[in-house]
Structures are given as C-alpha cells and as structure tokens.
Amino acid sequence: MASVTVTSGPITTSLLPPARSATTLGRNCCSLLPPSPGLAYRRARRRNNVAASTKLVVRVARTESKGVSLGSRAPDFELEEPLTGNIWKLEDFESYPALLVMFICNHCPFVKHLKKDIVKLTNFYMKKGLGVVAISSNSVVTHPQDGPVFMAEDARNFNYPFPYLYDHSQDVARDYGAVCTPEFYLFKKDGRRPFELVYHGQFDDSRPSNNVSVNGRDLSLAIDCVLSGQPLPPNQKPSVGCSIKWHPEGNV
C-alpha cells in the first residue's frame, strides 16, 4: 500500500476518506462500532424466533403409532433393496425365531436421532439370531430425498446390517398399519407357525429435543424377552415420529 507523507499544517480534506452516512454504516457488516443495545436485542430476538420456529416444526410433525392387534400375523411383502437390487420377501426370514420390521426413512429428524443406535442395536441382536428388515414407504413425489437412490446412500453411509427396502406403492405400509417413522414391529415365530406380532412400540423415551439420552431400552427389552422365550411387558408405549408421506392422489 502506497504511503502518504503529510507536511506540517492542517490535513487537507482531499486526504481524508469520503464521509459515510449513518445508513451506510448501518449496512456495513464490517463496522468496528459495537451494535447498539437495541440492535443487539433485536438480533437476539430474531435468533430466538428462528430456534423456536424450528422446534415448532418438530412438534407439529409428531405422529404416534396406532394400535395394532398383538398376535396378528406379519403381512407378506416383496420389495426391492435399492442398495443391491435384490428382492426380499417375508419368507426369506422364515428361519429366524424373531423378526424386527422397521418403517424408517432418510429425512425424518426422529429417525436421524436414532440411526446410529438402531445400527448398534440391530448389529448386536442379529448376532443372537434376530431377523431385521427396514422399509421406507415415503412418497418420492413429495419427498424425493427419501427415494431409492438416496436410500442406497443412507444404507451405505450408516453401514446398515439389514436390508433397507423401498415400498413404492405404499401397500406394505398400509398392510402393516404403519403411520409414522420410525415405527417398530417385533414378531416371534414358533416352529412352522407364521410370525406373530408381540411388540409394537417405541425404541425408547428419547426424542430429538427432550434431552433424554438414547439407549434403546424399550425395544431391546422386548427383543430379549422374545429371544429368551419370556413374556413381554404388557405396557407398550407407542412410537413417535414423522408421519409417513403418502402419495398425493393420482400420483402413485
């Protein structure tokens, strides 16, 4: 930067930077002047309003799983796994003593909140003989981020140990009575008898904004009971999450 030498005497105005109006200074984000108390307050209010509106979206989106008759049979399905292109059917799990069917998706904050722990839990129990499958039934018309390509990425990024299937027609979600993500169905199998529903409840008490740590207590207790042949606790809390995104009418 070129230096300017000023001789003795008053500095001429030609060497001074042009004067800026208060409006210009107010627009200048790099101003060295601290913001006025009123401006700082308004900025804080805006930040708080944004945070509050974000939490409100999560609360409004909450949907509880509905009552499904315990003891009912697992509905059949035949769905593609986007990651591998393989087709999976209910009968592929016939050799397992118990089967966990999960309705999840990519974008839902309730699912994101549990993803890593779902992987940990399923890895642990699959080694003990549990069959596991996850299904996404969300419409790609309204939520393209939940489509097959992104499902494959999600399965790869989180190292899902279970097949993650896409229910394009949404018929499987309807057959199971699924209404939210995540939603968990635990079935047991006795010999040649069909899979029988024994647990339809939450993962645990943790939610995205309630500061309760994720531990998978409710679901893991149910799985332990099934694999050990013990009766399940009668009180099952419903799962809570985002509603399944159904196709708009005429867009199937």
Side-chain angles (χ1 to χ4, degrees):
M1 181 176 181
S3 61
V4 178
T5 302
V6 182
T7 58
S8 60
I11 299 175
T12 61
T13 57
S14 62
L15 294 179
L16 294 174
R20 290 178 291 175
S21 66
T23 302
T24 303
L25 285 172
R27 290 196 302 262
N28 188 351
C29 65
C30 299
S31 172
L32 297 179
L33 294 175
S36 66
L39 179 59
Y41 173 76
R42 290 193 296 274
R43 287 176 177 171
R45 284 292 300 272
R46 283 197 294 269
R47 286 194 296 268
N48 290 340
N49 288 341
V50 169
S53 64
T54 301
K55 292 181 181 178
L56 179 61
V57 170
V58 174
R59 288 198 296 268
V60 170
R62 290 168 64 103
T63 299
E64 287 190 358
S65 58
K66 296 181 179 179
V68 177
S69 299
L70 297 179
S72 59
R73 294 183 178 183
D76 287 327
F77 59 80
E78 184 174 345
L79 300 171
E80 182 177 356
E81 180 184 13
L83 180 63
T84 63
N86 293 335
I87 302 297
W88 290 80
K89 305 176 183 179
L90 178 64
E91 63 188 44
D92 293 324
F93 299 91
E94 287 292 316
S95 62
Y96 293 89
L99 173 64
L100 175 64
V101 178
M102 305 179 291
F103 285 85
I104 64 173
C105 68
N106 296 348
H107 88 279
C108 173
F110 290 89
V111 177
K112 288 182 175 181
H113 180 64
L114 300 177
K115 274 182 184 179
K116 291 181 180 179
D117 290 273
I118 287 175
V119 171
K120 290 178 184 178
L121 182 145
T122 52
N123 264 319
F124 178 80
Y125 283 107
M126 287 174 72
K127 294 175 183 177
K128 293 179 175 289
L130 178 70
V132 182
V133 61
I135 299 171
S136 175
S137 301
N138 276 3
S139 173
V140 294
V141 177
T142 60
H143 290 71
Q145 67 269 43
D146 287 337
V149 173
F150 298 104
M151 288 176 60
E153 289 182 6
D154 219 46
R156 188 180 300 110
N157 291 338
F158 284 89
N159 293 315
Y160 285 169
F162 45 79
Y164 185 24
L165 315 181
Y166 184 51
D167 175 24
H168 180 300
S169 69
Q170 302 183 323
D171 288 341
V172 176
R174 292 189 179 90
D175 289 343
Y176 276 76
V179 295
C180 65
T181 57
E183 190 159 357
F184 304 95
Y185 297 80
L186 179 62
F187 299 88
K188 73 173 183 179
K189 194 172 190 305
D190 293 326
R192 295 180 177 274
R193 297 180 61 184
F195 280 113
E196 175 184 309
L197 182 65
V198 292
Y199 181 79
H200 179 226
Q202 65 176 9
F203 192 78
D204 57 26
D205 289 325
S206 184
R207 304 290 182 262
S209 57
N210 70 356
N211 296 321
V212 175
S213 61
V214 179
N215 55 31
R217 181 181 182 278
D218 294 62
L219 183 57
S220 62
L221 177 60
I223 296 172
D224 283 334
C225 290
V226 170
L227 294 181
S228 62
Q230 302 298 315
L232 273 74
N235 297 324
Q236 300 182 7
K237 297 180 182 179
S239 186
V240 176
C242 305
S243 62
I244 288 181
K245 311 308 178 189
W246 304 103
H247 294 307
E249 189 173 351
N251 289 273
V252 179

